[in-house]
Amino acid sequence: MLLAGGQGSRLGVLTSDVAKPAVSFGGKYRIIDFPLSNCINSGIDTVGVLTQYQPLVLNSHIGIGIPWDLDRNSGGVTILPPYERSDNSEWYTGTANAIYQNLKYMESYEPDYVLILSGDHIYKMDYEAMLDFHKLNGADVTIAAIPVPMEEASRFGIVVTDDKRRITEFEEKPAKPSSNLASMGIYIFSWEVLKDALIALKNQSNCDFGKHIIPYCFDKKKNLYAYEFNDYWKDVGTLGSYWEANMELIDLIPEFNLYEEFWKIYTKQATIEPQYISGSAYVEKAIISAGAEIYGTVKNCVIGAGVVIGEGTEVHDSIIMAGTKIGEHCYIEKAIIAEDCVLGDNITMGAGEEAPSELNESVYSFGLVTVGAKSVIPSGVTIGKNTAIKGETSEDEYPDGKLPAGGFIVKGGDEK
Amino acid sequence: MKAIGIVLAGGDSKRMQNLSDKRAVSAMEISCSYRAIDFVLSNMTNSGIQTVAVLSQFNARSLNAHLNSSKWWNFGRKQGGLFLFTPTITPDNSWWYRGTADAMWQNINFLKERHEPYVIIASGDCVYKLDYNDMLDYHIAKQADVTIACAKLPEWEDGKRYGVVQLDDKGEVISFEEKPLAPKSDIVSAGIYIIRRRTLIELLEQCNEEGRYNFVTDVFMRMTGSKKIAGYKIPGYWSNIASVEGYYRTNMDFLKKDVRDFFFHEDPPIYSKSYDLPPAKYNNGANVKNSLVASGCIINGTIENSVVFKKVFIGTNSVIKNSLVLNGAYIGDDVYLENCIVESNETILNGSRYVGEEGNIKIVAEKRNRYDLMSEDKGSGEE
């Protein structure tokens, strides 16, 4: 059961039209490709994807699951949105509440075990090895956990185990953590235990795995084990960590390697044609996806499919997502530009000093320029750091042709 | 669409030199992401043809691997489908395909069991985009017995390896010469025919009784004079890849913006099998100019005026000029390549130098075993 309904509000304008799991990553992928590919690579061929926030892109991306070989005669991928019932219709109010509302879906497959995943992380993991661990220990619940630096441990749900990895304590975001093993939000439940807990807590408001289900199982003296995972696992919850995780892919030998034959990551690929690097282009330290046409200079960038970068334009340390067209003689530094944007000519982006964001200081920092999907930016404007742009903007919205550092132009509504 | 498709994925071609050692010509890689047969299959599916038979017998492994699922071209349907027919032994027949007509005759039950009134026969080694509906409308309007698609040859090539066609001003074929020594025109057969299914069945049966096996010489050319043959000019780009020069130039054509726009950006698209490769990676030291690069490549060197296919690795300080580097090739450090075609999965040792000439492209096929080389390297302690 893959939880994919979250907004991921700390990604700012990147998630104004799409759920966080549908945000592009690494040029050609979307975040949800990682858990979905992990599923099929681990031999899990029945996957329910729970959607709620802005599901359009997610739905069309997943379709009937062809890219992940999840188009099956039995099982396969099923999209599970909230639905109306004769009594008490409600949205998914929490992670466990969402799973509870789909008890019938799970029951129809008569499972022995249920794996709960979230669509928020970049990692490669063999869930089958985790299940073997679960069976070997005769566990009721197994929680995947990763060691984190002690000083960050208070941001996570922390598990404390004995030497056999049996969980002896569970602390949700503790002020003084007693271990550094953080829950990754990946759980394996033996079916009867999960069903019992979900039904027992069905009236719990905002019922959540970390806050309610796990403590409930713990109190009922169930066998809880921690499965330690010691590989690459990246939360891309903030613009800063999202930008960093993308930039790590262009290292000479990236820590997270997409070029291995083993454990491939699958995605829906609409663009298959080659990329063209013109005679006037210069590309160094970058990954570039299919169908891109580069006429300018690209350094330290992640470039999505079908992107066009005009002649004389320089792009540094940026993420440009699929379908975006950038005009000529622009200078772009440390920007995240989402899908299908159109940028004019002679635009300067990410120049000058930093200033705190006037829109939301905790979201738009890290010195980044963030541009939402399908935005239009007119020629000749200068855009400072920690800025946000979303929607079709025109010259008169940039006084003196400028959007100063920390500024924003975010257009909402259904029209644009 | 009132037609079924037959793709003649033939064969060997001496003009491909050792490029066809590894695969049928129609399985040759084109423009990084495609194989030659993708163009005809995409044209067929985009024209609404639901049922396509591919006939092949020469070195079909690579082709077969490419066609192992029909879903990429939207042929995986209850109605219709994609069929690969290679020769089989039956109580009545133990021959290989003795020619293109024989290949169709050996599969005549496939033709008999369909209900569509027309058949579109096309070869699998041409690069073009065509709506066969337009050609069928033309065929019907001309009240022709058979319509053959024609294309103008590029200037660098003459008609010696083609069927050369002469058309009158009404668009009817007045003469057809197969591989003439002295071609009378630069209009050649594009290897695409439209004919009524029942007529084709009759002609094939008659042909077999007479012990004739070749579609062009024994069926089509014998119709000239007695039947009405219309010539349909292909409006856009068309190229045949069944010679080293043709193959090289066709790939190089994709460096031109108008050719890329025509195939990549104008509807309808050309489909191919998806390989789920990561984006191409350019490391420090990469310097790429006027080149096409496929997904899955890792580039550390210089590439100019070249087409670099899928999953190619290019080492530090290497220079690739005016060359095609086919799928999965590994080019070591300090290599110099000019006017070459590097065969797929080749391993080019550090410091090697291969130089061909314009008009005489060098095919690099050393067939080294990469993993043996790697273990040797370890033994001697060399880089």
Side-chain angles (χ1 to χ4, degrees):
Chain A
M1 300 294 279
L2 177 47
L3 295 156
Q7 176 180 0
S9 54
R10 287 174 303 158
L11 289 178
V13 290
L14 295 186
T15 53
S16 45
D17 297 333
V18 298
K20 181 178 167 191
V23 170
S24 298
F25 184 83
K28 68 177 286 192
Y29 306 98
R30 295 187 189 277
I31 296 171
I32 198 170
D33 293 335
F34 296 88
L36 271 182
S37 300
N38 286 339
C39 279
I40 197 69
N41 289 337
S42 305
I44 297 172
D45 59 14
T46 304
V47 182
V49 178
L50 295 94
T51 60
Q52 174 156 292
Y53 176 80
Q54 291 281 13
L56 176 62
V57 174
L58 205 50
N59 286 344
S60 57
H61 183 68
I62 294 172
I64 59 165
I66 287 176
W68 305 272
D69 284 345
L70 285 168
D71 51 326
R72 314 282 295 199
N73 285 329
S74 61
V77 66
T78 308
I79 305 267
L80 302 167
Y83 55 93
E84 197 175 8
R85 284 175 292 178
S86 52
D87 55 338
N88 182 27
S89 298
E90 57 178 357
W91 294 99
Y92 294 153
T93 59
T95 51
N97 174 270
I99 302 292
Y100 168 73
Q101 292 198 40
N102 289 289
L103 263 184
K104 282 190 185 134
Y105 167 79
M106 293 184 286
E107 244 164 0
S108 70
Y109 291 102
E110 298 174 13
D112 293 326
Y113 306 100
V114 176
L115 169 70
I116 311 284
L117 298 168
S118 73
D120 293 354
H121 299 103
I122 308 296
Y123 65 113
K124 293 182 187 177
M125 180 173 176
D126 186 353
Y127 304 133
E128 198 175 17
M130 180 173 167
L131 180 61
D132 289 345
F133 175 88
H134 180 86
K135 288 181 192 166
L136 189 73
N137 289 309
D140 296 310
V141 185
T142 301
I143 303 174
I146 190 163
V148 294
M150 208 62 188
E151 58 271 23
E152 287 178 32
S154 54
R155 285 173 41 216
F156 295 90
I158 292 296
V159 294
V160 182
T161 69
D162 65 15
D163 55 357
K164 298 226 164 56
R165 289 287 172 222
R166 192 186 161 118
I167 297 175
T168 55
E169 243 180 288
F170 188 84
E171 305 164 339
E172 184 68 19
K173 297 185 181 160
K176 283 192 182 149
S178 23
S179 117
N180 69 335
L181 264 188
S183 163
M184 297 160 68
I186 299 167
Y187 311 98
I188 289 178
F189 283 88
S190 294
W191 168 239
E192 291 302 331
V193 176
L194 176 65
K195 188 178 167 184
D196 167 67
L198 289 172
I199 291 171
L201 296 176
K202 66 176 178 181
N203 295 320
Q204 170 69 45
S205 62
N206 302 333
C207 191
D208 181 89
F209 277 97
K211 287 197 199 97
H212 307 111
I213 299 289
I214 298 299
Y216 173 85
C217 293
F218 196 68
D219 291 345
K220 291 277 169 189
K221 304 274 183 283
K222 299 289 180 195
N223 283 326
L224 275 71
Y225 278 81
Y227 174 76
E228 192 174 323
F229 180 74
N230 277 308
D231 215 326
Y232 187 92
W233 180 77
K234 191 92 179 178
D235 177 36
V236 287
T238 65
L239 288 172
S241 65
Y242 172 82
W243 181 81
E244 256 174 39
N246 273 279
M247 289 299 139
E248 281 169 13
L249 295 174
I250 59 182
D251 290 343
L252 186 60
I253 297 169
E255 196 186 340
F256 188 68
N257 197 339
L258 295 166
Y259 293 80
E260 302 164 327
E261 276 299 299
F262 176 69
W263 216 266
K264 260 192 184 177
I265 303 301
Y266 303 97
T267 187
K268 182 183 174 186
Q269 192 176 2
T271 310
I272 57 167
E273 64 263 19
Q275 53 201 269
Y276 176 69
I277 313 293
S278 88
S280 59
Y282 184 76
V283 180
E284 192 173 306
K285 266 200 94 182
I287 60 173
I288 302 185
S289 310
E293 302 232 330
I294 313 291
Y295 297 91
T297 297
V298 173
K299 277 185 191 170
N300 289 324
C301 287
V302 173
I303 308 284
V307 166
V308 178
I309 293 181
E311 205 169 325
T313 288
E314 268 193 65
V315 188
H316 292 263
D317 306 294
S318 296
I319 300 163
I320 316 288
M321 298 185 201
T324 286
K325 312 249 179 296
I326 300 178
E328 298 179 355
H329 304 288
C330 297
Y331 182 87
I332 294 171
E333 197 177 317
K334 269 194 99 172
I336 301 174
I337 303 179
E339 286 144 275
D340 301 314
C341 292
V342 179
L343 276 66
D345 303 330
N346 300 308
I347 294 170
T348 305
M349 205 180 251
E353 296 297 310
E354 279 192 44
S357 170
E358 293 155 22
L359 179 61
N360 188 335
E361 209 175 316
S362 65
V363 172
Y364 302 101
S365 45
F366 318 102
L368 290 161
V369 178
T370 311
V371 182
K374 300 193 172 71
S375 298
V376 176
I377 299 178
S379 293
V381 298
T382 300
I383 296 159
K385 290 182 169 137
N386 294 338
T387 46
I389 295 171
K390 165 81 190 160
E392 286 190 23
T393 63
S394 59
E395 272 169 55
D396 46 337
E397 285 162 288
Y398 297 83
D400 305 324
K402 278 187 185 134
L403 180 67
F408 65 94
I409 307 172
V410 176
K411 298 183 173 179
D414 291 330
E415 300 82 40
K416 289 292 176 215
Chain B
M1 183 80 182
K2 292 184 233 144
I4 56 170
I6 292 184
V7 177
L8 301 173
D12 185 11
S13 169
K14 297 272 180 308
R15 289 182 195 83
M16 289 306 269
Q17 298 171 28
N18 47 357
L19 284 177
S20 58
D21 286 358
K22 280 176 90 160
R23 48 181 113 55
V25 178
S26 41
M28 288 296 301
E29 300 101 315
I30 303 287
S31 178
C32 298
S33 315
Y34 308 93
R35 290 185 185 263
I37 198 165
D38 290 330
F39 291 86
V40 61
L41 291 180
S42 300
N43 287 335
M44 286 192 170
T45 194
N46 289 334
S47 303
I49 296 174
Q50 290 178 312
T51 306
V52 174
V54 176
L55 307 181
S56 175
Q57 68 180 1
F58 175 82
N59 227 343
R61 189 202 60 81
S62 196
L63 185 64
N64 216 329
H66 188 61
L67 303 182
N68 75 338
S69 169
S70 51
K71 64 181 164 192
W72 313 114
W73 304 273
N74 284 321
F75 285 126
R77 296 282 170 260
K78 285 185 188 170
Q79 301 195 9
L82 178 66
F83 306 91
L84 180 63
F85 293 139
T86 48
T88 56
I89 293 174
T90 66
D92 324 322
N93 176 55
S94 57
W95 293 99
W96 289 87
Y97 294 154
R98 288 162 288 184
T100 45
D102 189 46
M104 287 189 269
W105 179 80
Q106 288 195 30
N107 295 292
I108 203 150
N109 283 341
F110 168 78
L111 284 170
K112 285 180 173 170
E113 282 160 11
R114 302 306 306 179
H115 60 84
E116 290 87 344
Y118 294 98
V119 181
I120 293 173
I121 303 169
S123 67
D125 58 1
C126 296
V127 173
Y128 63 107
K129 225 184 216 186
L130 179 62
D131 187 345
Y132 299 115
N133 289 297
D134 295 345
M135 184 169 164
L136 182 60
D137 290 346
Y138 180 86
H139 174 79
I140 293 167
K142 285 275 169 195
Q143 297 184 311
D145 294 303
V146 59
T147 297
I148 178 170
C150 306
K152 195 172 182 311
L153 275 186
E155 280 131 27
W156 58 270
E157 193 160 36
D158 64 31
K160 279 181 196 149
R161 67 182 182 99
Y162 292 94
V164 174
V165 179
Q166 275 186 302
L167 298 173
D168 66 11
D169 47 6
K170 284 182 287 185
E172 279 183 40
V173 174
I174 46 176
S175 86
F176 185 96
E177 289 178 296
E178 181 69 352
K179 298 176 182 144
L181 284 173
K184 287 182 190 142
S185 83
D186 62 351
I187 304 292
V188 298
S189 159
I192 306 160
Y193 308 86
I194 291 184
I195 189 167
R196 269 198 171 271
R197 186 172 55 90
R198 286 184 186 286
T199 315
L200 179 65
I201 291 169
E202 274 168 35
L203 288 167
L204 290 174
E205 283 182 332
Q206 193 186 336
C207 195
N208 180 261
E209 272 169 30
E210 294 168 5
R212 296 167 182 270
Y213 306 116
N214 187 300
F215 182 75
V216 176
T217 53
D218 298 333
V219 180
F220 178 74
M221 284 176 70
R222 294 173 78 213
M223 292 167 85
T224 48
S226 65
K227 302 274 186 184
K228 189 164 175 184
I229 303 177
Y232 176 79
K233 283 189 190 152
I234 293 184
Y237 182 95
W238 177 88
S239 163
N240 177 285
I241 60 147
S243 71
V244 171
E245 186 74 5
Y247 178 68
Y248 176 81
R249 289 201 187 236
T250 302
N251 279 294
M252 286 296 175
D253 277 346
F254 281 86
L255 294 178
K256 297 175 191 155
K257 187 162 173 36
D258 57 327
V259 174
R260 281 202 310 280
D261 284 345
F262 179 63
F263 284 105
F264 300 163
H265 303 142
E266 281 174 32
D267 262 350
I270 305 296
Y271 308 101
S272 188
K273 187 174 171 173
S274 161
Y275 284 86
D276 291 279
L277 295 169
K281 188 160 184 287
Y282 300 77
N283 289 328
N284 280 330
N287 186 5
V288 181
K289 304 276 183 214
N290 189 35
S291 296
L292 285 169
V293 179
S295 294
C297 290
I298 299 179
I299 297 166
N300 299 292
T302 298
I303 304 174
E304 277 175 37
N305 308 322
S306 295
V307 181
V308 180
F309 289 67
K310 286 183 279 222
K311 280 180 74 176
V312 167
F313 179 91
I314 296 190
T316 314
N317 290 325
S318 286
V319 177
I320 318 285
K321 276 186 184 169
N322 309 330
S323 295
L324 310 180
V325 185
L326 303 191
N327 289 344
Y330 179 96
I331 314 281
D333 300 339
D334 306 303
V335 172
Y336 185 85
L337 291 168
E338 191 172 348
N339 295 319
C340 288
I341 298 175
V342 180
E343 251 292 10
S344 57
N345 301 313
E346 276 294 313
T347 306
I348 305 300
L349 301 179
N350 293 349
S352 334
R353 188 183 160 88
Y354 296 92
V355 180
E357 287 159 34
E358 220 175 297
N360 184 18
I361 300 302
K362 185 174 182 70
I363 297 171
V364 181
E366 304 280 6
K367 301 184 180 135
R368 292 194 184 93
N369 186 327
R370 190 173 306 169
Y371 300 98
D372 286 355
L373 289 168
M374 285 163 91
S375 50
E376 271 170 36
D377 275 359
K378 272 183 197 152
S380 64
E382 281 171 35
E383 276 290 310

